[in-house]
Amino acid sequence: MKKKKKIIISNRLPIQIERKKEKLIIKPSAGGLATGLNSAFDSDEILWVGWPGIVPKDEEEKEKIVELLKPMSLLPVFLSKDEIRNFYEGYSNEVLWPICHYQPSYIHFDREYWSTYVTVNKKFCEAALSIDQLSDFIWVQDYQLMLLPQLLRSENQTLNIGYFHHIPFPSEELFMNIPQRKELVEGLLGADLIGFHTFADSQNFLNACKKILHVSSGYNQLIYKDRHIFVESFPMGIDFDKFVQVSHQPKIQSIASQFRSHFPDQKIIISVDRLDYSKGILERLRAFLTFLEKYPEWHTKVVLYMLIVPSRDKVSQYKKLKDEINRKVSEINSIYGNLSWTPVLYFYKSLPFEELVGLYVASDICMITSTRDGMNLVSKEYIASKTLSKGVLILSEFAGASKELVDALIINPYNRTETADSIYQALKMPPEEVQERTDANIQIIQKFNVQHWVQLFTNRLAETKAIQRDEWARRISDKVFSSISERYSKSSNRLFFLDYDGTLVKFQNHAQKATPTTLLYNLLDNIISDPLNTLVIISGRSQESLSSWFDGRSYYLVAEHGIWSNFPNFNWSYKKGLALHWMPEVKKLMEKLADQTPGAFIEVKPYSLAWHYRKVELGLGELKATELKEILNPMLNDYGLQLLDGNAVIEVKNTEVNKGKAALEIAGHIKADFMLAIGDDITDEDLFRYLPQSTISIKVGSNKSAAKYYLDEQEDVLQFLNQLIIK
């Protein structure tokens, strides 16, 4: 039996194609992703989809490229020059790149950019769907293909789709500047697992989803269109063993020695960057200038060796940056340089891999001053190359790597003085401390290498799909409904427990507006029109609210989670003996936080207190609710209280009462042979847990629950009940 293919989709295939004398020369690209995948899986398991990096001259050459790449398990997606310009150079790098790197002033919007971005993402989708082999998973890579997961999902709901975002994800305030923000977020939510380098990036994405789509989310997941989607951080690593092995080779040691011979009495600071405004190259030069001003004793004793890899230097912003770098380097060298010492050595070129590793081995300090970076693998490459030599890593706090390599000297690149002082600290650092810091960073890089990254992500993707399958098993399908309906028809004494807010009516920003509709009254009356049915509305609402809506009707009411009830004779009574001495103190604490939180308000019930924040700004409400919980938690045991963390509400009440206990008491009198309980909130979990195992318990929403089944939305509850009672 053939193994299922693991399909990788990226903007570029991991190859380079060159035309030489009418011949096509294909060279593999030794990128980190390709290395990690090839080490984690057999080569015949992987199929890679992407642009081959060349525009064919004609159909004949296109077919030739397809045939040449087929044995390498590569499927090319061909793009025209216009598509490359508008999709890649345009929308990807003039809209998404600057936004994600916190440089909104560099954005250039063009109508053609977006339409081409959509067109190209559809091309990639068509290519992926053309694969006639079953796939184990599809793993989409990076910001050029943010629409692709949803395009694939819309064609096939069963696909196992992962997405990894290799660059930073901005705060929601910045992301909101993109006109197509909704389409981009929805595009990513076609994936089952969405990965970022850092926890902060994953939280930024979740916050954007909440802001744009108004979906609820946990710290690492959200539910959208009836699908549980996980959003987590997976810091990418490097091929650690490769760098260690190469750095140990005599040839590399010779390259390093030769390099050092040019600077016999000087400390060498290196930096390796692609030409880009996110790399903080000017900030680094300004900090080095400050260092030379502040520490004149180091003149002639240190050099900054800057290697900048050419990139997009025909684009005006990059051309301008290159000119500014040239001017700043000239300025530093003209002020402090002399015939025997050039403070800054600047090279605009790329180096062969072995020479680069030799440079890492030879240097004393590696300086990374990114103003924003998804990860920055140079920092890890440098450390991995230092197992036989010593070196200090100066690392920007805005690089994703800084969250892992905490033993580097972490700097704010915008603070020139701090960065200059870090250079001085690195130069003066005792050898024992250098070794200690290097060893600590090596441990991290060795463990969290690129193979580990691939394995971690793909394993989590498989787990995510398993969780989704379990959830679908709990969903009320046609088959499950038929089974429930059959039990209903055969029973002779039925008992319904129905929550109110979020179950029978939708949540409203203004709680008083969530009143029963005529349709709801008709539904409830239809339920109790059958003499075999008993109906109980069990809610956290006050006795006054339920009484005003439902008194005089032939169904029972339980208010404030069981404190008040009109069972069994439709006359209201409350649970006696409940302590109330805690209420003034808790109310005072709630009022204090409500005064600090615009939109928050307190609902005072006779035997409980509720702090509502459904009208509070998104994010602030959750933050203040967490603060309130931290304040109240120490008091709970002392006063015998229960804290209910509901839907945009924190409620405090006595532990002696809850929906489960109240429902169980009623169930004990009714002796039903068919029992149904439906609720949407955490307060309904007591209801699901306390009632007998034979109870048909249903949660509104697919969040984790003690309920046996779930319905997607509140409207589905009404439809379910209507269908159930039809004779």
Side-chain angles (χ1 to χ4, degrees):
M1 184 178 174
K2 277 188 176 180
K3 289 182 179 177
K4 290 183 178 180
K5 285 288 186 184
K6 291 149 177 53
I7 299 171
I8 313 301
I9 309 181
S10 60
N11 174 54
R12 283 290 299 268
L13 289 173
I15 52 155
Q16 292 177 329
I17 301 179
E18 295 177 13
R19 284 192 194 94
K20 285 192 177 178
K21 296 180 181 179
E22 298 305 309
K23 284 189 176 181
L24 295 171
I25 310 296
I26 299 176
K27 296 178 181 177
S29 173
L33 179 61
T35 301
L37 289 165
N38 289 332
S39 62
F41 306 112
D42 294 336
S43 58
D44 63 340
E45 287 184 88
I46 301 169
L47 178 59
W48 204 305
V49 180
W51 180 53
I54 192 171
V55 179
K57 292 186 296 184
D58 50 37
E59 284 299 315
E60 185 182 344
E61 187 175 64
K62 183 187 285 189
E63 290 174 14
K64 189 176 181 181
I65 291 170
V66 171
E67 290 306 311
L68 285 169
L69 296 181
K70 192 177 288 184
M72 303 169 69
S73 293
L74 302 176
L75 178 63
V77 178
F78 294 103
L79 303 179
S80 68
K81 288 180 180 177
D82 282 346
E83 285 173 332
I84 294 164
R85 182 173 62 251
N86 292 322
F87 154 73
Y88 180 71
E89 296 169 3
Y91 197 82
S92 295
N93 287 320
E94 290 191 11
V95 178
L96 295 177
W97 181 271
I99 275 286
C100 288
H101 288 86
Y102 291 73
Q103 297 288 349
S105 61
Y106 287 4
I107 293 173
H108 176 229
F109 290 113
D110 187 295
R111 193 176 298 171
E112 283 293 306
Y113 287 177
W114 172 248
S115 62
T116 309
Y117 186 83
V118 173
T119 300
V120 171
N121 271 255
K122 286 180 178 177
K123 268 194 173 184
F124 275 80
C125 180
E126 289 165 8
L129 294 173
S130 72
I131 300 165
D132 57 6
Q133 238 178 306
L134 289 173
S135 67
D136 184 13
F137 61 73
I138 297 176
W139 192 1
V140 181
Q141 306 292 326
D142 224 1
Y143 65 104
Q144 300 94 345
L145 301 173
M146 291 177 74
L147 301 180
L148 185 53
Q150 185 54 46
L151 289 171
L152 291 166
R153 179 71 58 203
S154 63
E155 294 294 328
N156 188 341
Q157 288 291 326
T158 65
L159 289 173
N160 191 9
I161 304 172
Y163 170 88
F164 195 84
H165 198 77
H166 289 267
I167 63 175
F169 197 92
S171 62
E172 71 267 28
E173 289 87 355
L174 266 178
F175 193 75
M176 295 295 282
N177 288 305
I178 302 177
Q180 301 84 15
R181 62 202 184 189
K182 185 172 185 284
E183 293 88 336
L184 292 168
V185 165
E186 286 183 322
L188 292 189
L189 293 181
D192 300 297
L193 176 63
I194 302 169
F196 297 89
H197 284 302
T198 69
F199 176 73
D201 289 332
S202 69
Q203 295 308 294
N204 285 345
F205 175 72
L206 285 170
N207 289 338
C209 291
K210 287 190 277 187
K211 185 98 170 176
I212 295 164
L213 302 176
H214 309 291
V215 293
S216 59
S217 69
Y219 82 94
N220 74 332
Q221 58 187 281
L222 53 82
I223 298 169
Y224 185 65
K225 292 187 176 178
D226 190 34
R227 287 177 48 252
H228 231 117
I229 301 156
F230 287 80
V231 180
E232 298 183 10
S233 59
F234 302 88
M236 188 177 182
I238 61 167
D239 189 350
F240 177 82
D241 291 339
K242 179 182 177 182
F243 278 89
V244 172
Q245 289 163 10
V246 172
S247 65
H248 286 198
Q249 292 173 3
K251 180 183 176 182
I252 304 303
Q253 294 295 320
S254 175
I255 291 171
S257 298
Q258 188 178 358
F259 180 77
R260 283 212 64 87
S261 67
H262 297 296
F263 313 99
D265 300 313
Q266 293 169 333
K267 294 282 188 178
I268 304 169
I269 304 171
I270 64 157
S271 65
V272 181
D273 307 281
R274 186 172 55 80
L275 179 69
D276 196 273
Y277 47 76
S278 67
K279 299 300 180 182
I281 299 168
L282 289 172
E283 284 74 15
R284 182 183 313 139
L285 288 168
R286 291 171 188 136
F288 190 65
L289 178 59
T290 301
F291 165 77
L292 295 175
E293 291 168 353
K294 191 172 180 181
Y295 301 101
E297 68 271 23
W298 280 96
H299 292 184
T300 75
K301 296 177 184 176
V302 64
V303 292
L304 174 58
Y305 189 98
M306 289 206 323
L307 182 66
I308 297 179
V309 179
S311 172
R312 305 184 71 209
D313 49 17
K314 298 292 189 290
V315 178
S316 60
Q317 291 165 347
Y318 288 75
K319 187 175 183 298
K320 183 183 176 185
L321 174 62
K322 186 171 180 287
D323 291 342
E324 288 178 357
I325 292 169
N326 289 334
R327 282 196 295 273
K328 184 55 75 173
V329 170
S330 297
E331 178 191 342
I332 295 171
N333 287 338
S334 63
I335 294 172
Y336 292 105
N338 54 44
L339 291 175
S340 60
W341 178 52
T342 305
V344 182
L345 297 166
Y346 162 44
F347 300 93
Y348 188 67
K349 63 177 183 178
S350 59
L351 283 183
F353 177 70
E354 291 182 340
E355 289 184 34
L356 179 63
V357 176
L359 184 63
Y360 289 151
V361 171
S363 59
D364 301 288
I365 298 168
C366 179
M367 194 172 176
I368 292 165
T369 52
S370 312
T371 55
R372 196 65 62 168
D373 229 338
M375 177 50 66
N376 192 291
L377 296 178
V378 168
S379 60
K380 297 186 175 186
E381 293 171 359
Y382 176 74
I383 293 295
S385 303
K386 303 301 281 186
T387 53
L388 293 181
S389 56
K390 298 181 180 69
V392 181
L393 177 63
I394 297 175
L395 182 57
S396 166
E397 66 183 75
F398 301 117
S402 68
K403 309 303 182 286
E404 295 175 273
L405 306 182
V406 295
D407 287 279
L409 294 181
I410 308 297
I411 52 104
N412 175 355
Y414 294 109
N415 188 331
R416 297 184 203 177
T417 304
E418 176 189 271
T419 307
D421 291 342
S422 292
I423 295 172
Y424 178 78
Q425 182 185 351
L427 290 167
K428 296 287 287 181
M429 189 177 289
E432 302 79 25
E433 185 181 347
V434 175
Q435 193 66 59
E436 186 181 330
R437 287 174 179 266
T438 303
D439 289 345
N441 283 329
I442 283 173
Q443 283 186 352
I444 293 290
I445 295 167
Q446 185 173 14
K447 179 179 179 180
F448 292 93
N449 55 43
V450 70
Q451 293 87 355
H452 180 83
W453 174 75
V454 169
Q455 209 65 59
L456 205 64
F457 188 93
T458 54
N459 287 348
R460 186 58 172 149
L461 183 55
E463 290 170 7
T464 298
K465 210 61 186 174
I467 291 169
Q468 290 176 343
R469 280 194 295 269
D470 290 344
E471 285 169 356
W472 276 94
R474 288 178 48 236
R475 191 169 185 265
I476 296 188
S477 61
D478 290 343
K479 184 178 178 182
V480 171
F481 179 80
S482 296
S483 172
I484 295 171
S485 182
E486 186 178 354
R487 281 185 61 186
Y488 178 84
S489 300
K490 291 180 177 178
S491 58
S492 57
N493 190 12
R494 310 176 190 120
L495 178 57
F496 292 71
F497 289 104
L498 304 178
D499 174 45
Y500 183 73
D501 290 283
T503 301
L504 294 178
V505 296
K506 278 187 174 182
F507 278 105
Q508 300 284 347
N509 279 340
H510 298 278
Q512 61 271 25
K513 289 185 178 179
T515 55
T517 62
T518 303
L519 285 174
L520 178 59
Y521 280 129
N522 290 340
L523 169 62
L524 299 177
D525 288 344
N526 284 338
I527 292 173
I528 57 152
S529 66
D530 188 330
L532 303 181
N533 294 345
T534 302
L535 172 61
V536 181
I537 294 177
I538 186 163
S539 171
R541 286 277 189 166
S542 67
Q543 177 260 335
E544 290 85 357
S545 294
L546 294 187
S547 183
S548 67
W549 295 330
F550 299 115
D551 266 1
R553 295 179 181 268
S554 300
Y555 29 87
Y556 296 111
L557 307 172
V558 176
E560 295 182 40
H561 309 291
I563 291 173
W564 287 92
S565 173
N566 71 356
F567 181 85
N569 54 12
F570 297 103
N571 293 320
W572 283 103
S573 62
Y574 67 89
K575 202 162 188 68
K576 294 180 172 61
L578 296 177
L580 300 176
H581 61 282
W582 55 272
M583 292 187 77
E585 187 178 352
V586 172
K587 183 169 180 272
K588 188 177 179 181
L589 292 170
M590 286 184 169
E591 285 174 340
K592 183 179 179 182
L593 255 73
D595 289 342
Q596 300 170 7
T597 314
F601 65 93
I602 300 166
E603 182 184 4
V604 180
K605 304 175 187 179
Y607 297 94
S608 64
L609 294 169
W611 193 85
H612 293 271
Y613 59 95
R614 66 182 64 175
K615 294 166 66 179
V616 178
E617 179 190 354
L618 197 65
L620 177 61
E622 289 81 356
L623 182 70
K624 289 295 183 182
T626 301
E627 185 180 343
L628 179 61
K629 285 187 285 185
E630 288 176 355
I631 293 169
L632 293 175
N633 274 330
M635 304 171 59
L636 300 180
N637 285 336
D638 293 342
Y639 286 119
L641 302 175
Q642 183 181 10
L643 185 148
L644 302 174
D645 190 356
N647 194 323
V649 60
I650 301 293
E651 187 160 0
V652 179
K653 64 177 186 61
N654 290 83
T655 53
E656 296 99 75
V657 289
N658 63 48
K659 286 185 179 181
K661 290 179 180 179
L664 194 60
E665 188 176 336
I666 294 172
H669 287 84
I670 301 294
K671 308 293 185 188
D673 58 356
F674 175 93
M675 208 176 304
L676 174 71
I678 309 180
D680 74 299
D681 210 338
I682 194 166
T683 61
D684 298 303
E685 292 302 312
D686 289 329
L687 185 64
F688 304 143
R689 277 192 288 265
Y690 274 76
L691 289 173
Q693 274 293 311
S694 57
T695 304
I696 297 165
S697 51
I698 301 173
K699 174 88 169 182
V700 182
S702 59
N703 289 333
K704 191 173 182 181
S705 172
K708 292 176 183 173
Y709 306 107
Y710 78 89
L711 290 165
D712 296 328
E713 297 176 352
Q714 181 269 327
E715 293 94 332
D716 298 328
V717 175
L718 306 186
Q719 184 180 349
F720 169 83
L721 290 171
N722 268 309
Q723 290 178 344
L724 185 65
I725 63 173
I726 292 172
K727 295 181 180 178

